[in-house]
């Protein structure tokens, strides 16, 4: 309706370039609403360029068929509603005689009230004096062709395209703002997800942008279509402005696309670098943990040795601690970090210290390895020298002992014996120990014994030499030898308290004594390691409790503690305080009383075995503790505490100490037992080792037990957990008179069995997820059998790895297959043991009932007893 009222005269221009707007003959113009007129005028004045609009518009109002009153009303309305700058208003006045005369007279009288330059024209000929006919359509005597529908179509398409460009630009800007304000995730999975989501959004935006560009190009081709058909075609001003508008919009889209592509390149690069950083940090934490474990092992590794064989053994153990794969992995990760820095990674300040830390840790481990290897090689060399010196002493003793007494009674015999003795003494510098300070890496007691042996042998040689010199200097009469010649079989003897006599029996006793001495030295070495590590362990626990746990109650540190950590001290540290008090006040002091008799320390462990069971509670709480630590490990509180304590390792390494300590005891007890065979405390050591292993098994079993889900009862009511393990399992059921058999041909179920004193639980093992302790499996409860109703068949279907567990007269049979025949035997024996104990209890109860009741009609066998008897 708007374009049926007015037209743009196909983009005509005045002589000064003013845009021309034509108001055609329209009798109902006065009836239009003000809002409609303002909208039409506003739109028509917005179409020409700003430069053309600035010159001012020329309005042509065709009212040749109208009355003066309508002309005057239209002028007033236009004067009040026209939004642009008016250059000239040309009015084709009414052509009837009355209305023309009336308009001439009234216009001259009222022209000042219009407040715009108005020219009254009597004909189109007069109009041509103001506007070139080439700028007017045929309705006004012009020659310009004008197709109103085409003009409407082009303007509609341009407006739609302009709106699309605006919307696309706003959408891209909003998307860019969203991307710029997005916080980078803290883990690799979230970063990967974010990068994928942003890439999908970017692709969608690019598709919308390409759609807008395609529409703009099609519109441009449509405007240029007359030029394709007629190369000499002259575009109107409107067409030229439409062309310029579309080109300008396309230029804006191109600029927007270029800017967006540049921004996306930067943003995607940052996200990719963030993903690289998260992978680097993840690998860094893993490698650092392995380096810390390697470093701790090396720090706790003692390079003290007591013999060449022991030194070689310790050297081999040291080689086992040289985890070259971890060092190579750490150096490769540091090199990867350098590459990230070279590629201008935004987190250079975070990556560079980690690379330095990795290289520093590798260098420290390598340096420690070199130092310990050097000491061990030096110790091995000195051990050989020590053995060489000891052998020289023993050979010297053998030499003196083997010289015949009767031969030394003659001058020639004495001189020969003296020369033999002096020749042997000349070899002393090659075999004796000269510098005791250079032997500090050896066992000093052993070194002292060798030096004493050297001194004794030298003293013996000197006495013998003096005696032989005297005999060689004077002729003595022969004497009958009193003592027979000693029957010395081997030079591998040791000096006794007196060098006057030597015997094979004495040599064997000396060798045995030296072996016992070596074993005693080894026992003292293990005992020293036990005490030193125990003291260090107590100090570490105190450091954690004072440096971390106590600080959680420090008001000055409260602002650094995250909300997830509030009131969670018991979860984070478990019963570490109880463990510390036991070791500080009791266990360490009692261990120190056995420093001079290491072989008896087993008694101490046996007396405190119940106290050591406090580690079960600590280990059961460890998964919750580790989960809480991972949530808050990066918080400022832990970093500040670690800084104050000057610890290289984080709190998580110290929270692992109790688990490592209870495991360390069984290793030390094994070492002591190995060096205490035949000693008084050997049986106690063996029993203590078995008890510690029992605690470790109980801890391990309890860790599995707390992972059971879906059991509605109280597990503690089932009695002590005796065994647990994974098996393949089939079931058989009786249904009426038919029995479902041969299910073994189907795929077996995988079940984890928990054998308690009162029940047998069947659970399904779930996949392991998470990290650290959270990586432990979980078990879904499926079925349970009361041990009071259980029967067992040792062999099932001729398979030495299968056995049957059944109940209720074999109405339900579980065929269980173990991994090995040995595991099957262990389970069968343990189940039989439980059933036997129940049978004994049942018989005892039955006996008591017979003594208590005399009625001959009372049942003599309980149902429980019957089931056990059936077994």
């Amino acid at each position: 309706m708007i374009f049926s009222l007015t037209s743009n005269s196909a983009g005509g221009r005045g002589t000064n370039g003013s845009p021309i707007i034509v108001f055609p003959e329209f009798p109902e113009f006065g009836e239009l609403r003000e809002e409609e007129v303002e909208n039409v005028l506003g739109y028509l004045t917005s179409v020409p360029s700003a430069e053309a609009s600035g010159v001012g518009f020329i309005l042509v109002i065709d009212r040749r068929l109208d009355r003066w009153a309508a002309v005057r009303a239209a002028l007033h309305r236009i004067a009040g509603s026209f939004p642009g700058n008016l250059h000239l208003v040309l009015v084709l006045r009414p052509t009837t005689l009355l209305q023309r005369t009336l308009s001439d007279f009234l216009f001259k009288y009222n022209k000042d009230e219009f407040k715009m330059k108005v020219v009254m024209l009597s004909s189109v000929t007069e109009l041509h004096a103001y506007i070139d006919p080439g700028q007017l359509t045929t309705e006004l005597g012009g020659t310009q062709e004008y197709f109103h529908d085409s003009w409407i179509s082009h303007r509609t398409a341009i407006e739609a395209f302009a709106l699309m460009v605006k919307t696309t630009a706003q959408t891209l800007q909003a998307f860019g703002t969203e991307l710029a304000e997005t916080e980078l995730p803290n883990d690799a999975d979230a970063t990967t997800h974010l990068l994928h989501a942003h890439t999908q959004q970017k692709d969608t935006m690019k598709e919308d942008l390409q759609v807008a560009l395609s529409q703009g190009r099609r519109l441009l081709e449509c405007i240029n279509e007359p030029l394709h058909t007629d190369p000499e075609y002259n575009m109107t001003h409107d067409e030229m402005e439409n062309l310029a508008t579309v080109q300008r919009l396309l230029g804006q889209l191109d600029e927007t696309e270029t800017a967006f592509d540049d921004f996306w390149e930067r943003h995607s690069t940052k996200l990719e670098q963030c993903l690289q950083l998260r992978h680097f940090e993840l690998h860094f934490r893993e490698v650092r943990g392995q380096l810390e474990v390697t470093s701790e092992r090396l720090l706790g590794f003692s390079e003290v040795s007591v013999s060449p064989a022991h030194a070689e053994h310790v050297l081999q153990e040291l080689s086992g601690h040289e985890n070259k794969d971890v060092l190579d992995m750490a150096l490769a990760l540091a090199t990867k970090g350098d590459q990230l820095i070279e590629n201008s990674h935004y987190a250079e300040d975070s990556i560079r210290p980690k690379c330095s830390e990795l290289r520093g840790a590798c260098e420290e481990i390598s340096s420690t390895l070199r130092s310990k290897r050097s000491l061990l090689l030096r110790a091995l060399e000195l051990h050989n020298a020590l053995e060489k010196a000891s052998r020289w002493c023993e050979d010297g003793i053998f030499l003196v002992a083997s010289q015949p007494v009767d031969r030394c009674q003659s001058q020639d015999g004495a001189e020969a014996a003296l020369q033999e003795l002096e020749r042997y003494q000349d070899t002393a510098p090659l075999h004796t120990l000269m510098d005791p300070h250079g032997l500090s890496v050896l066992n000093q007691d052993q070194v002292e014994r060798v030096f004493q042996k050297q001194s004794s042998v030298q003293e013996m040689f000197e006495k013998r030499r003096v005696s032989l010199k005297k005999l060689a200097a004077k002729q003595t009469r022969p004497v009958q030898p009193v003592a027979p010649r000693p029957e010395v079989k081997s030079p591998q003897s040791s000096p006794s308290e007196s060098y006057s006599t030597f015997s094979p029996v004495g040599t064997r006793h000396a060798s045995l004594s030296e072996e016992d001495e070596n074993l005693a030295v080894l026992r003292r070495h293990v005992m020293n390691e036990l005490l030193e590590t125990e003291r260090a362990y107590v100090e570490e626990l105190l450091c954690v409790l004072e440096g971390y746990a106590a600080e959680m109650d420090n008001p000055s540190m409260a602002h650094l503690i995250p909300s997830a950590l509030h009131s969670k001290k018991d979860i984070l540290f478990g019963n570490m305080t109880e463990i510390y008090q036991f070791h500080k006040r009791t266990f360490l002091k009692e261990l120190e009383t056995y420093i001079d008799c290491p072989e008896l320390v087993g008694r101490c462990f046996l007396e405190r075995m119940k106290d050591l069971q406090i580690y079960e509670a600590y280990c059961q709480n460890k998964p919750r503790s580790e989960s809480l630590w991972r949530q808050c490990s990066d918080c400022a509180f832990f970093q500040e505490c670690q800084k104050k304590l000057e610890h290289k390792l984080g709190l998580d390494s110290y929270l692992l100490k109790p688990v490592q300590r209870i495991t360390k005891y069984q290793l030390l007890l094994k070492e002591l037992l190995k060096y205490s065979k035949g000693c008084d405390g050997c049986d106690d050591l063996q029993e203590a080792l078995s008890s510690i292993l029992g605690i470790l098994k109980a801890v391990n079993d309890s860790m599995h037990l707390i992972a059971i889900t879906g059991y509605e009862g109280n597990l503690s009511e089932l009695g002590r957990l005796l065994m647990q393990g994974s098996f393949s399992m089939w079931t058989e059921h009786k249904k009426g008179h038919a029995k479902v058999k041969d299910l073994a041909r189907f795929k077996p179920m995988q079940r984890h069995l928990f054998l308690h004193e009162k029940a047998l639980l069947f659970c399904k093992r779930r996949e392991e997820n998470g990290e650290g302790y959270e990586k432990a499996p979980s078990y879904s409860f499926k079925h349970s059998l009361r041990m009071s109703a259980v029967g067992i068949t040792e062999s099932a279907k001729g398979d030495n790895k299968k056995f049957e567990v059944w109940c209720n007269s074999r109405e339900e049979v579980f065929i269980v297959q173990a991994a090995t025949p040995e595991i099957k035997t262990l389970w069968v024996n343990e189940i039989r043991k439980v059933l036997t104990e129940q049978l004994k209890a049942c018989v005892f109860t039955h006996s008591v009932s017979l003594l208590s009741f005399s009625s001959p009609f009372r049942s003599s066998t309980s149902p429980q007893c019957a089931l056990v008897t059936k077994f």
Side-chain angles (χ1 to χ4, degrees):
M1 175 172 145
I2 292 175
F3 291 103
S4 67
L5 304 181
T6 63
S7 96
N8 195 286
S9 191
R13 295 291 187 272
T15 55
N16 62 344
S18 297
I20 301 172
I21 297 178
V22 177
F23 287 78
E25 188 71 44
F26 185 66
E28 289 83 11
F29 181 75
E31 299 177 4
L32 293 175
R33 297 197 307 272
E34 192 66 30
E35 182 182 358
E36 291 179 337
V37 174
E38 289 178 356
N39 287 340
V40 171
L41 294 177
Y43 178 76
L44 292 177
T45 55
S46 68
V47 172
S49 64
E51 181 181 355
S53 301
V55 179
F57 288 87
I58 297 177
L59 302 186
V60 177
I61 303 175
D62 185 6
R63 289 296 180 265
R64 287 175 290 179
L65 300 179
D66 212 336
R67 296 177 295 107
W68 164 250
V71 172
R72 183 171 178 268
L75 288 174
H76 276 293
R77 196 167 197 182
I78 291 170
S81 303
F82 197 79
N85 181 21
L86 275 174
H87 175 66
L88 182 63
V89 179
L90 302 175
V91 181
L92 288 172
R93 61 186 177 183
T95 55
T96 61
L97 180 61
L98 176 60
Q99 293 298 325
R100 183 175 59 187
T101 303
L102 187 60
S103 62
D104 284 342
F105 173 74
L106 293 177
F107 175 71
K108 291 178 183 179
Y109 182 75
N110 296 316
K111 66 180 179 178
D112 292 335
E113 70 183 38
F114 299 126
K115 298 180 183 179
M116 54 186 177
K117 186 178 179 181
V118 180
V119 177
M120 285 291 178
L121 303 176
S122 299
S123 64
V124 293
T125 304
E126 293 180 6
L127 178 62
H128 295 166
Y130 291 92
I131 301 175
D132 187 340
Q135 300 296 321
L136 297 171
T137 59
T138 55
E139 289 86 353
L140 298 176
T143 59
Q144 189 180 75
E145 294 183 357
Y146 172 66
F147 302 99
H148 191 62
D149 292 339
S150 176
W151 186 87
I152 293 290
S153 176
H154 283 178
R155 291 308 308 173
T156 304
I158 290 173
E159 295 299 333
F161 179 54
L163 180 61
M164 178 179 286
V165 171
K166 181 180 178 181
T167 304
T168 302
Q170 290 176 342
T171 304
L172 289 177
Q173 183 177 5
F175 180 54
T177 302
E178 178 187 348
L179 297 187
E181 294 176 352
T182 300
E183 293 185 4
L184 297 178
N186 291 324
D187 61 274
D189 292 339
T191 304
T192 302
H193 176 73
L194 183 63
L195 180 59
H196 178 67
H198 282 186
T199 302
Q200 284 186 325
Q201 288 180 279
K202 183 267 297 183
D203 293 340
T204 302
M205 297 291 177
K206 289 287 288 184
E207 289 176 3
D208 294 343
L209 193 61
Q210 291 302 319
V211 169
L213 286 170
S214 299
Q215 182 170 336
R217 294 188 185 103
R218 287 196 300 271
L219 183 56
L220 197 64
E221 290 177 2
C222 183
I223 295 174
N224 284 323
E225 185 177 358
L227 291 176
H228 297 321
T229 56
D230 183 6
E232 297 181 357
Y233 176 77
N234 292 325
M235 285 187 172
T236 65
H237 287 284
D238 267 1
E239 289 174 334
M240 293 176 64
E241 287 191 353
N242 288 345
L243 182 64
T245 300
V246 174
Q247 289 175 338
R248 174 174 54 81
L249 293 172
L250 283 172
Q252 291 178 1
L253 276 180
D254 288 335
E255 292 176 359
T256 301
E257 182 179 23
T258 301
F260 178 73
D261 287 342
D262 292 341
F263 171 78
W264 173 254
E265 181 67 25
R266 294 191 301 273
H267 180 72
S268 62
T269 299
K270 190 170 184 179
L271 278 181
E272 289 170 356
Q273 288 184 345
C274 177
L275 182 59
Q276 293 170 348
L277 177 64
R278 299 305 173 232
H279 282 304
F280 176 80
E281 291 174 338
L282 176 62
H283 294 155
F284 171 78
R285 288 192 292 270
E286 294 174 353
V287 172
R288 182 177 63 180
Q290 296 180 27
L291 289 175
E292 289 172 352
V293 171
T294 302
S295 181
E296 285 185 358
R297 287 177 179 172
L298 286 177
L299 290 175
F301 185 85
S302 174
E303 61 273 13
V304 177
S305 56
V306 295
S307 67
H310 188 221
E312 290 179 353
H313 175 70
V314 175
L315 196 59
Q316 290 178 355
E317 285 187 351
L318 181 64
S319 300
H321 284 76
E322 185 179 3
N323 199 337
K324 193 173 183 301
D325 292 340
V326 173
L327 296 180
D328 292 343
M329 193 186 309
L331 293 175
L333 186 60
T335 302
K336 184 176 180 181
D338 293 338
Q339 293 173 353
L340 294 177
I341 294 173
E342 290 175 3
N343 293 332
S344 303
H345 198 285
Y346 72 87
E348 174 182 349
D349 293 339
S350 173
I351 297 173
R352 193 182 302 279
K354 290 181 173 62
C355 294
S356 300
E357 182 179 345
L358 289 174
R359 289 194 174 92
C362 290
E363 179 57 32
E364 183 179 351
I365 291 174
S366 300
S367 176
T368 304
L369 281 169
R370 287 194 299 270
S371 175
K372 289 184 179 293
R373 185 177 289 106
S374 176
L375 287 174
L376 283 172
L377 291 173
R378 174 62 177 159
L380 182 60
E381 179 183 347
L382 294 174
H383 273 304
N384 290 329
L386 202 63
E387 282 200 346
K388 193 175 180 182
S390 180
R391 194 179 306 114
W392 183 86
C393 293
E394 293 170 356
D395 289 346
I397 296 170
F398 178 78
L399 174 65
V400 173
S402 63
Q403 289 180 338
V405 178
D406 54 351
R407 193 182 72 175
C408 296
Q409 299 302 315
S410 65
Q411 185 176 8
D412 293 339
E415 287 180 354
L418 179 62
Q419 290 175 3
E420 184 181 21
L421 189 63
E422 288 178 342
R423 282 196 302 271
Y424 192 80
Q425 275 189 298
D426 291 339
T427 64
L430 301 177
H431 301 86
T432 55
L433 300 175
M434 305 301 295
D435 180 19
H437 300 292
L439 304 173
S440 58
V441 295
L442 303 181
N443 183 279
Q444 293 304 300
D445 292 340
Q446 187 180 7
V447 173
E448 185 64 28
R449 286 196 303 273
V450 174
F451 269 104
Q452 290 176 357
K453 185 186 291 187
Q454 281 187 195
S455 300
S456 300
V457 171
Q458 291 287 7
E459 183 179 353
M460 179 189 67
F461 279 179
E462 185 61 28
K463 290 180 180 179
R464 176 60 63 91
R465 192 171 66 83
V466 171
S467 300
L468 290 175
K469 276 186 177 182
K470 291 179 180 179
L471 291 173
K474 60 181 180 179
Q475 179 65 38
T476 59
R477 65 183 179 87
V479 296
Q480 183 67 28
V482 178
R485 180 178 177 178
E487 298 179 2
V488 182
K489 301 293 184 181
S490 168
Q492 304 297 323
S493 59
S494 301
S496 63
E497 294 295 329
S498 170
Y499 294 103
S500 58
T501 60
F502 300 88
S503 70
V505 176
T507 301
R508 286 196 299 271
H509 282 311
S511 299
L512 289 174
S513 175
E514 184 173 352
E515 182 180 353
D516 291 342
E517 186 77 21
N518 289 339
L519 290 175
V521 169
L522 290 171
R523 288 195 296 272
R524 284 196 295 272
H525 170 66
V526 177
M527 189 65 192
N528 288 337
E529 182 180 354
L530 173 60
L531 290 175
E532 289 172 4
T533 55
E534 185 73 14
R535 295 186 187 105
Y537 175 56
V538 170
E539 289 298 322
E540 287 171 342
L541 292 181
L542 177 62
C543 190
V544 171
L545 293 173
E546 291 183 347
Y548 286 97
E551 289 296 304
M552 291 182 69
D553 300 324
N554 186 352
S556 63
M557 298 284 282
H559 66 285
L560 299 178
I561 301 177
S563 58
L565 202 58
H566 288 166
S567 303
K568 299 290 180 63
K569 185 165 70 172
D570 291 341
I571 294 177
L572 185 61
F573 298 98
N575 62 333
M576 182 181 284
T577 302
E578 182 183 6
I579 293 174
Y580 167 74
Q581 296 294 349
F582 164 66
H583 284 269
K584 174 67 176 176
R585 298 177 178 177
T586 306
F587 200 50
L588 176 57
K589 292 179 180 179
E590 292 182 359
L591 287 176
E592 288 173 337
T593 62
Y594 291 89
I595 188 170
D596 294 325
C597 47
E599 65 275 7
L600 303 180
V601 77
R603 300 174 186 173
C604 180
F605 279 91
L606 291 175
E607 291 171 357
R608 294 299 172 185
M609 201 55 64
K610 288 186 178 180
D611 295 313
L612 289 171
Q613 292 176 358
I614 58 178
Y615 281 89
E616 284 191 41
Y618 187 85
C619 293
Q620 289 174 358
N621 179 68
K622 196 68 178 68
R624 300 172 65 205
S625 172
E626 189 167 278
S627 176
L628 180 61
W629 160 256
R630 271 199 301 276
Q631 294 178 35
C632 311
S633 59
D634 295 331
C635 72
F637 172 74
F638 290 132
Q639 295 174 2
E640 182 65 21
C641 291
Q642 183 175 347
K643 182 179 179 182
K644 287 182 179 180
L645 295 170
E646 298 182 352
H647 283 178
K648 293 182 179 179
L649 304 178
L651 174 60
D652 55 329
S653 299
Y654 291 92
L655 292 176
L656 194 60
K657 294 291 182 181
V659 181
Q660 295 171 335
R661 190 60 187 167
I662 191 64
T663 307
K664 180 73 171 176
Y665 286 139
Q666 56 102 5
L667 299 176
L668 294 170
L669 287 172
K670 282 181 181 177
E671 287 294 305
L672 274 175
L673 186 61
K674 182 169 66 174
Y675 301 136
S676 303
K677 298 298 184 182
C679 296
D680 292 340
C682 182
D683 293 339
D684 288 340
L685 284 173
Q686 182 62 60
E687 187 177 352
L689 175 60
S690 300
S691 299
I692 285 291
L693 292 175
I695 289 179
L696 293 176
K697 179 181 180 299
V699 168
N700 182 58
D701 290 345
S702 67
M703 296 296 288
H704 287 274
L705 202 58
I706 63 175
I708 296 178
T709 60
Y711 184 75
E712 296 182 355
N714 187 349
L715 290 172
S716 62
E717 296 177 356
L718 303 182
R720 187 164 52 93
L721 177 63
L722 304 175
M723 300 185 78
Q724 53 88 18
S726 295
F727 298 87
S728 298
M729 196 179 76
W730 298 262
T731 59
E732 290 183 353
H733 301 273
K734 281 186 178 180
K735 296 184 178 179
H737 297 289
K739 185 177 182 182
V740 181
K741 291 186 176 181
D742 300 325
L743 293 183
R745 66 178 179 271
F746 296 106
K747 183 177 179 181
M749 298 178 289
Q750 300 302 316
R751 291 292 182 262
H752 200 91
L753 273 58
F754 294 86
L755 176 61
H756 292 262
E757 291 175 320
K758 297 182 180 179
L760 178 63
L761 301 188
F762 297 83
C763 299
K764 183 175 182 180
R765 182 187 177 108
R766 297 299 181 186
E767 292 295 327
E768 301 178 0
N769 295 311
E771 299 177 358
Y773 278 89
E774 288 188 359
K775 203 172 182 180
S778 62
Y779 305 96
S780 298
F781 172 76
K782 294 297 182 182
H783 190 64
S784 67
L785 297 176
R786 290 182 298 106
M787 293 305 294
S788 60
V790 162
I792 183 172
T793 304
E794 184 172 347
S795 298
K797 302 185 184 301
D799 192 331
N800 64 351
K801 293 187 291 186
K802 291 181 180 178
F803 62 96
E804 291 181 350
V805 178
W806 41 268
C807 64
N808 298 333
S809 302
R810 296 185 65 88
E811 290 183 1
E812 187 174 25
V813 179
F814 300 90
I815 303 171
V816 183
Q817 180 178 1
T820 64
E822 291 75 17
I823 295 177
K824 171 228 173 173
T825 301
L826 288 174
W827 275 75
V828 168
N829 290 341
E830 192 64 34
I831 294 175
R832 287 190 182 278
K833 182 179 177 182
V834 173
L835 298 179
T836 301
E837 292 297 325
Q838 290 182 349
L839 179 59
K840 291 180 179 178
C842 180
V843 170
F844 175 77
T845 303
H846 178 59
S847 301
V848 171
S849 65
L850 288 176
L851 294 173
S852 301
F853 303 99
S854 57
S855 173
F857 303 105
R858 187 174 300 278
S859 174
S860 63
T861 305
S862 68
Q864 179 181 8
C865 188
L867 284 170
V868 177
T869 305
K870 181 183 295 184
F871 155 75

